[in-house]
Amino acid sequence: MAPALSVASPSTGAAVESGTSDVVVTGAKREVLPPAQLPGPATIKLHIADLIAKRPYIAALDAAGSTARLAVLADQERQYGSVPAFYLDTAEWFRLNGDPATASLLLLSALELPASDDETRQIVAFRLERDQSFDRSVELAEQLAAANAVFRPQPGRGLALALAARGRAAGRTGRADLERAFQLLVDTALNPASGDFDGIEVIALMEANALIPLIEAAGGHWTLEPGLVGLTDTDVRIVVEWTADDADIDLWVDEPNGERVMYSNKLSSGGGQISNDMTDGYGPEEYAIHHAPTGSYSVRINGYDADRINPNGLGHVLIRLQRNFAHESETQTLVDVDLSFQTGPNRNEEDETKPVATLRVGR
């Protein structure tokens, strides 16, 4: 990504510009100058039919009439309800079919099974954030960070994003959440353990910088080395992470001109860029484009290198589709995908990838 950057000199506090920018950044305050006209938010069309695995109990629900759904669910639960995947899948089915109350009960039921694990908790926490159940999402993220943050940086970042979502929703009263989220993201970026997941530090710093205006609007404070402060706004940003340490997940984005941005083509002719390819599990990986040409952006997920029995499903990918990132008009859609993996020698077989969403960018 190549956003215009303006940072404060450590010795003088004066702005040192790289490129052009409408924002002057210092170590303590952003002063917004008259901005260019911002584009309106993109319309995000999701390929919903492709996002739920077609397991027998989903087929049974699809075939049931609206009055028979709960009876069919109970029957299928007796057959398949010993693993979290059943509750995760059926929760999503009921949500997409207009029954959020049943969906919520099923989602939380996934946590109660003996087979539930940290992967289950990560999926449920992500969905609770999506559904704006922020307190429960933060509670689960706290548990994951307490158990795992000493070993790898992703749980700390996950907690930061859950706190940031709750802080944004709270406005000025979200100051403490926003400040803590910022510090967790900075810690993720500067943690030596992050070196084992090359690229996460850039993603975490981008997310930390995006919180600065929100912290200031809430009357809060932040501290960061001036050389790490910068303008991070992008028209389109897509971030994927996954729940397994033995999977390699690749993000593919087809831009309006047909060019595919992926691990083997990290920078497109239009300026779209993919972050470092994470091959050792968990992610995150990011696609970002600062000034997105109008048209459709097709998002696919490609799974590679996984061979295990998983009670949560073959593999799970958590996706954030963001428009006008780091602007006041930022919008975000959260999607999670149960994913199968490439079975042949060609890791780039398109027929075995998962289409996730299409972002249509207009001006």
Side-chain angles (χ1 to χ4, degrees), residues 251-282:
L251 172 62
W252 294 7
V253 179
D254 292 342
E255 295 185 343
N257 65 358
E259 185 175 4
R260 175 166 292 164
V261 191
M262 56 189 294
Y263 72 92
S264 59
N265 180 38
K266 292 187 175 182
L267 180 62
S268 74
S269 59
Q273 186 169 346
I274 289 276
S275 63
N276 186 57
D277 184 22
M278 295 274 191
T279 60
D280 294 328
Y282 299 115

Side-chain angles (χ1 to χ4, degrees), residues 302-307 314 339-353:
N302 185 26
Y304 195 70
D305 281 347
D307 184 16
L314 287 177
L339 182 68
S340 59
F341 292 83
Q342 297 280 356
T343 57
N346 178 10
R347 69 176 291 173
N348 295 325
E349 178 58 54
E350 183 170 323
D351 289 343
E352 295 193 25
T353 65

